[in-house]
Amino acid sequence: MLNALRIIIKNGSVVLFIVLQIICFYLIVKYNQKQNQIYFYSTQVYSNNFYSKYKSLVSYFNLKSENERIITENALLLKKYYTTCSRKNIDTLLIDSIRFKYQIIPADVVNNSVSKRNNTITLDKGIKDGISVGMGVISDKGLLGIVTDVSEHFSLVMSILHSKSRISCLLPHCGFFGTLVWDGVDPNVLHLEDIQKYAEVRKGDSVVTSGYSIVFPENILVGRVIDLTVESGAFTYTIQVEPNQSFFKLTHVYVINHQYKEEKEWLEKKAEIYE
């Protein structure tokens, strides 16, 4: 402590000069709009540059574990694919024709919100990578959302944690279809609507995509039933679903596109003319 005081006393003029400079800089930035904007812009540039280098460094040291994760994931997908083929005993040519209807584009999450009423996910792939509005987005664990906006290098996804999200889903155990929505409260709880109260629904039942919408293939896991009730006088369940994919841990995703999506939408719009 005494040594520190001696240093301050010995270099008092220098210390006082530095303190006054800091105070002056603070006052200039705080009470001058133009200087404040310059300071804000400069700090953003340097912080983004620093973060980019830091992320690159971390990514470099994580390459080995990341490669192992991807290899494991691909192995599980292949195992699931061949198990499904052998179990259902379907002709291989037919399986391949279904399989290759969907184009798959891997992407990384660069921004993600979970605390808003209308949450979105930003991906590092855009028009130049083949992504367009209306494509579905999934992870290796489940359903995420639908692409709503794209630029040259980025795309914006309407998360299923969004007030306007409506996804057709199925309860495989009982075969009933419903609509998956979010009430804007808990990001760990979704709601499955329009399931008739006489359906045999149980806690723990899996919830998957129905395949009715061409945006998503059928049987993509969404989550599991954690609670269900029937209100007095109601004809449908109130079903709570826990998403299988935690939205707090999003890093890698897959954008999927049905090759004939535009043709299907064109045909359905044409049919609306005659209604």
Side-chain angles (χ1 to χ4, degrees):
M1 184 66 181
L2 291 175
N3 289 334
L5 289 174
R6 290 194 190 99
I7 293 173
I8 293 174
I9 294 171
K10 184 177 180 180
N11 302 280
S13 58
V14 176
V15 174
L16 179 61
F17 175 79
I18 294 173
V19 171
L20 290 175
Q21 287 293 318
I22 293 173
I23 294 173
C24 291
F25 180 78
Y26 171 77
L27 293 174
I28 291 172
V29 171
K30 184 175 179 62
Y31 296 103
N32 291 273
Q33 184 177 3
K34 186 175 181 180
Q35 281 75 12
N36 183 275
Q37 291 176 346
I38 294 173
Y39 171 77
F40 178 79
Y41 175 76
S42 300
T43 53
Q44 288 294 313
V45 170
Y46 284 112
S47 63
N48 288 340
N49 188 36
F50 174 80
Y51 178 76
S52 178
K53 290 182 179 179
Y54 170 78
K55 188 175 181 181
S56 298
L57 183 63
V58 171
S59 298
Y60 175 79
F61 287 108
N62 288 335
L63 280 177
K64 183 177 180 180
S65 60
E66 186 64 13
N67 285 336
E68 291 175 351
R69 187 194 72 81
I70 293 172
I71 291 171
T72 302
E73 178 182 326
N74 288 338
L76 290 172
L77 289 172
L78 286 173
K79 181 179 179 181
K80 181 179 179 181
Y81 171 72
Y82 287 117
T83 301
T84 302
C85 291
S86 60
R87 184 177 69 248
K88 292 185 177 181
N89 195 27
I90 300 176
D91 180 39
T92 304
L93 291 176
L94 178 58
I95 285 288
D96 287 341
S97 67
I98 296 172
R99 182 187 178 201
F100 289 110
K101 284 181 181 178
Y102 282 92
Q103 175 191 14
I104 301 175
I105 305 171
D108 289 334
V109 175
V110 295
N111 198 9
N112 175 38
S113 64
V114 294
S115 59
K116 301 177 182 178
R117 172 63 176 165
N118 296 317
N119 294 290
T120 58
I121 305 167
T122 306
L123 308 180
D124 67 344
K125 298 291 178 65
I127 295 173
K128 75 177 187 64
D129 304 291
I131 296 179
S132 61
V133 172
M135 291 185 177
V137 181
I138 62 174
S139 71
D140 58 327
K141 292 183 174 63
L143 188 70
L144 298 179
I146 299 174
V147 176
T148 55
D149 292 286
V150 289
S151 64
E152 192 69 17
H153 302 94
F154 297 95
S155 54
L156 190 68
V157 179
M158 180 176 70
S159 168
I160 56 176
L161 303 180
H162 193 289
S163 64
K164 295 182 179 179
S165 176
R166 298 286 187 277
I167 307 294
S168 176
C169 291
L170 165 71
L171 289 164
H173 170 71
C174 61
F176 277 75
F177 297 89
T179 303
L180 187 76
V181 300
W182 186 55
D183 63 2
V185 180
D186 187 349
N188 293 312
V189 178
L190 302 168
H191 294 267
L192 186 61
E193 298 182 337
D194 306 324
I195 301 295
Q196 300 297 314
K197 66 179 182 180
Y198 52 80
E200 187 182 347
V201 185
R202 309 169 303 184
K203 288 185 180 180
D205 281 353
S206 60
V207 180
V208 301
T209 54
S210 66
Y212 280 3
S213 169
I214 203 169
V215 176
F216 297 105
E218 61 181 344
N219 294 325
I220 293 180
L221 183 62
V222 176
R224 299 191 181 278
V225 175
I226 55 174
D227 193 23
L228 64 154
T229 57
V230 179
E231 301 293 336
S232 178
F235 294 98
T236 58
Y237 282 107
T238 298
I239 300 177
Q240 294 184 348
V241 178
E242 180 183 28
N244 196 56
Q245 169 66 64
S246 170
F247 283 79
F248 294 95
K249 299 178 181 179
L250 284 183
T251 52
H252 307 285
V253 302
Y254 300 99
V255 183
I256 56 177
N257 179 46
H258 196 290
Q259 295 184 20
Y260 308 125
K261 180 169 69 71
E262 292 183 0
E263 179 182 341
K264 176 179 178 291
E265 292 174 348
W266 170 82
L267 188 63
E268 291 174 343
K269 287 181 180 178
K270 185 179 178 181
E272 291 176 0
I273 301 174
Y274 302 102
E275 292 182 355

